Amino acid sequence: MGYALIDLFSGAGGLTQGFVAAGFTPVFAVEKDPDAARTYRANFGDHVHEGPIESLQSDAFPAARVIVGGPPCQGFSPLGKMNGGGANAELNGLWREYFRVVQAVKPDVFVLENVPPFLRSAEYAALVGKAEADEYEVTPGVVNAAEFGVAQRRRRAVVIGSRIGTPALPERTTSVVATVGEAIRHLPSPSSYGETLRPGTESSGLDLHFRRRSHSRSIERYRLIPPGGNRFTLKDKAPELLPKCWREKPTGSTDVLGRLRWEEPALTIRTEFWKPEKGRYLHPSEHRGLTHLEACLLQGFPEGYRWSGSKISIARQIGNAVPPPLATAVAREVLSLLERCRQ
């Protein structure tokens, strides 16, 4: 049996999946979202508490050598600052709940995952102060999932705190990045629209490989976008297909209505990956957005991973998750630290 692990703000279990692959044993998790908690439970067992972390007393948590977690990051992300202001800012303080559990359980190592801007925030400085006061040595950094076998360029902040030695961030595990083709090219063309997906049921594999119902005008646009192209391609090829909002905004993100390339990694898979109008989410060769299964594989989850919830809920879980292969790389560094402590 591996070292005991607690996952806070566990979501669908991306961090736990990565740590389990490295040999750790999950003993407790906390997740507020009911669908994400059910997804976690379907893959790892009944030890997940479904509810807000604030509702748990400090003595509710079992002993564990390692605590991991990703407190909500919307308040730190550029997109969140544009869309949320005060509402998202309220989430910034949830790292304090995370550290309350660290102080109660006193694990040998903790791992906190967030968006890169977190490392430049006052909240991060406060976290370091608390950690050092509790005799944790802290190592922060930004890692890119594409350097750890994930077919996606996704940059995340990772903070490792240790009471048993100097922690280290993982070094890239591959010199050649994984590609979209390697992750999803083996899949057949989707033939359904996900009619069988219902809230409260579990889905996996090809059950999640369904297309979105797109308007005929949208498909006209998709057909004109070449690999690597984007909404600006329409300006030259078919300006009459440009919606008014794009005609009146000649500059902006080059990811919108972008088409992926087979031979390159995807960009960050966010929660609305199934809408090509939201980012570089056009399939490399078919005239549609990504399916839920394709996004799952581009995040590095196993094809048989079980998901619970509606289409929108599962998409949110996938987009918010930590890519498991990245989590495994972090877990191996933590395992090395624990093993050195035993010698």
Side-chain angles (χ1 to χ4, degrees):
M1 191 171 181
Y3 293 108
L5 175 79
I6 292 175
D7 191 345
L8 307 176
F9 307 96
S10 66
L15 275 169
T16 292
Q17 175 66 27
F19 272 74
V20 166
F24 287 80
T25 299
V27 296
F28 197 76
V30 181
E31 174 50 45
K32 181 178 180 179
D33 179 76
D35 286 335
R38 284 191 285 269
T39 293
Y40 184 100
R41 187 176 296 113
N43 291 281
F44 304 109
D46 291 332
H47 58 262
V48 58
H49 171 80
E50 182 182 318
I53 190 172
E54 304 95 309
S55 68
L56 290 174
Q57 298 297 317
S58 296
D59 60 4
F61 299 87
R65 299 291 297 277
V66 179
I67 289 179
V68 301
C73 60
Q74 292 92 329
F76 298 108
S77 71
L79 191 61
K81 289 177 180 176
M82 288 190 294
N83 293 339
N88 283 326
E90 291 179 4
L91 300 174
N92 289 8
L94 284 176
W95 68 265
R96 296 180 185 276
E97 288 296 320
Y98 172 97
F99 205 77
R100 173 176 70 89
V101 180
V102 170
Q103 290 177 313
V105 176
K106 295 180 171 56
D108 291 328
V109 181
F110 71 82
V111 177
L112 187 147
E113 174 271 347
N114 215 287
V115 291
F118 173 69
L119 298 182
R120 302 191 296 271
S121 69
E123 286 82 1
Y124 170 69
L127 167 66
V128 172
K130 284 181 173 292
E132 291 179 344
D134 283 356
E135 300 184 337
Y136 284 97
E137 188 173 353
V138 176
T139 297
V142 176
V143 294
N144 190 332
E147 297 180 351
F148 299 93
V150 182
Q152 178 191 173
R153 293 191 177 99
R154 187 186 191 98
R155 297 175 70 252
R156 303 299 290 181
V158 173
V159 180
I160 305 178
S162 168
R163 298 195 303 168
I164 56 175
T166 302
L169 294 174
E171 297 184 3
R172 65 183 301 161
T173 57
T174 176
S175 59
V176 180
V177 297
T179 66
V180 170
E182 291 170 334
I184 68 172
R185 199 165 200 162
H186 67 285
L187 296 174
S189 294
S191 58
S192 77
Y193 295 95
E195 294 89 346
T196 61
L197 210 63
R198 294 288 185 271
T201 62
E202 290 179 17
S203 304
S204 64
L206 291 178
D207 293 338
L208 295 165
H209 194 45
F210 53 85
R211 62 175 68 239
R212 177 194 183 199
R213 294 185 188 275
S214 297
H215 191 278
S216 59
R217 194 162 181 82
S218 295
I219 295 175
E220 284 186 71
R221 296 180 185 126
Y222 302 164
R223 290 183 182 280
L224 293 172
I225 308 296
N230 53 50
R231 72 179 177 94
F232 294 108
T233 305
L234 296 176
K235 181 180 179 182
D236 300 323
K237 288 189 173 184
E240 71 277 7
L241 292 179
L242 283 170
K244 182 180 178 181
C245 60
W246 291 352
R247 288 198 305 270
E248 294 177 352
K249 189 177 181 182
T251 60
S253 172
T254 59
D255 293 338
V256 172
L257 212 65
R259 189 179 291 279
L260 296 166
R261 297 179 186 269
W262 286 121
E263 68 276 12
E264 295 179 358
L267 300 186
T268 300
I269 299 298
R270 295 192 291 270
T271 59
E272 292 185 298
F273 55 77
W274 39 280
K275 296 180 180 179
E277 296 78 10
K278 293 289 186 176
R280 190 168 293 278
Y281 300 137
L282 273 174
H283 186 272
S285 58
E286 298 181 16
H287 305 306
R288 60 174 177 80
L290 293 171
T291 70
H292 286 50
L293 179 57
E294 287 167 340
C296 173
L297 297 179
L298 290 171
Q299 277 278 58
F301 280 93
E303 193 162 331
Y305 204 79
R306 297 189 293 276
W307 302 86
S308 179
S310 66
K311 297 176 187 178
I312 292 175
S313 174
I314 293 175
R316 183 172 61 247
Q317 294 173 53
I318 293 171
N320 284 335
V322 177
L326 172 58
T328 297
V330 174
R332 287 172 178 156
E333 289 295 332
V334 173
L335 182 62
S336 176
L337 195 59
L338 291 167
E339 291 295 306
R340 289 199 303 270
C341 181
R342 291 177 58 180
Q343 296 175 359

